[in-house]
Amino acid sequence: MKNMKKLIVLVVAIGAIGVAGVAYAADIKTPADITAALTGKSVADVANERAEGKTYGTIAKEAGKLDEFKAQILEQKKAVLDQRVKDGTLTQQQADEIYNQIKTNQATCDGTGNAGIGKKYGAGFGQGKGMGRGMGCGAGMRNGSCGGAGCGMGNNK
């Protein structure tokens, strides 16, 4: 009976962690999602343009939405960095350093480059959902996202 209670507590705890993780992931948007929403294109169309060599920043810039794109990317990065600190995978100091580097980069970002922000902490950006569809901290301006493309939620391509 004692073991059964332990098992039930364990299952409930695992379920709660799983739900929290899904809720967190649902709030995070990829650069492709952000670009599609800003430009009025489908995610598939944005992904096709990305596959042809355009960056997400370039796609947003061509639609006259680069500033909005940078603002939304910065917001996403902050949310991911905050979560990484909460999870204990980054210190607050590391997260602050990455965030400040992203903000500094965005001041001159034209949507076409890769700054490599956060790599020294091994904070890999990306969800691994195809070509660069990542979110979070580490890759800086990967895929022209003006501040990072994701925080360790999978493999970057």
Side-chain angles (χ1 to χ4, degrees), residues 23-45:
Y24 167 71
D27 292 341
I28 300 297
K29 296 177 185 167
T30 67
D33 294 332
I34 292 169
T35 305
L38 288 172
T39 62
K41 298 178 181 183
S42 71
V43 174
D45 288 342

Side-chain angles (χ1 to χ4, degrees), residues 146-157:
C146 297
C151 217
M153 295 177 68
N155 297 324
N156 257 343
K157 285 194 171 195

Side-chain angles (χ1 to χ4, degrees), residues 29-50 54-73 76-77 111 131-135 142-146 148-149:
K29 296 177 185 167
T30 67
D33 294 332
I34 292 169
T35 305
L38 288 172
T39 62
K41 298 178 181 183
S42 71
V43 174
D45 288 342
V46 169
N48 286 337
E49 288 186 55
R50 177 69 192 112
K54 287 186 181 179
T55 66
Y56 295 117
T58 298
I59 298 165
K61 183 177 180 179
E62 288 174 353
K65 301 289 184 177
L66 183 59
D67 288 338
E68 294 96 327
F69 176 79
K70 292 191 303 187
Q72 288 188 28
I73 288 293
Q76 292 295 305
K77 301 299 168 261
M131 186 177 274
R133 282 196 59 175
M135 289 299 306
R142 180 166 174 80
N143 302 328
S145 67
C146 297

Side-chain angles (χ1 to χ4, degrees), residues 1-11:
M1 192 63 155
K2 202 178 225 184
N3 288 336
M4 183 62 125
K5 286 181 183 179
K6 287 181 182 178
L7 179 62
I8 289 171
V9 169
L10 179 63
V11 168

Side-chain angles (χ1 to χ4, degrees), residues 74 77-86 89-103 117-118 121 123 125 137 151:
L74 184 62
K77 301 299 168 261
K78 179 72 171 132
V80 173
L81 287 167
D82 289 346
Q83 184 64 43
R84 296 288 300 262
V85 169
K86 184 178 176 182
T89 58
L90 284 176
T91 66
Q92 186 62 56
Q93 181 180 356
Q94 290 169 329
D96 291 345
E97 183 179 331
I98 293 167
Y99 181 77
N100 289 330
Q101 287 176 334
I102 292 168
K103 284 180 66 174
I117 296 171
Y121 298 119
F125 283 99
C137 31
C151 217

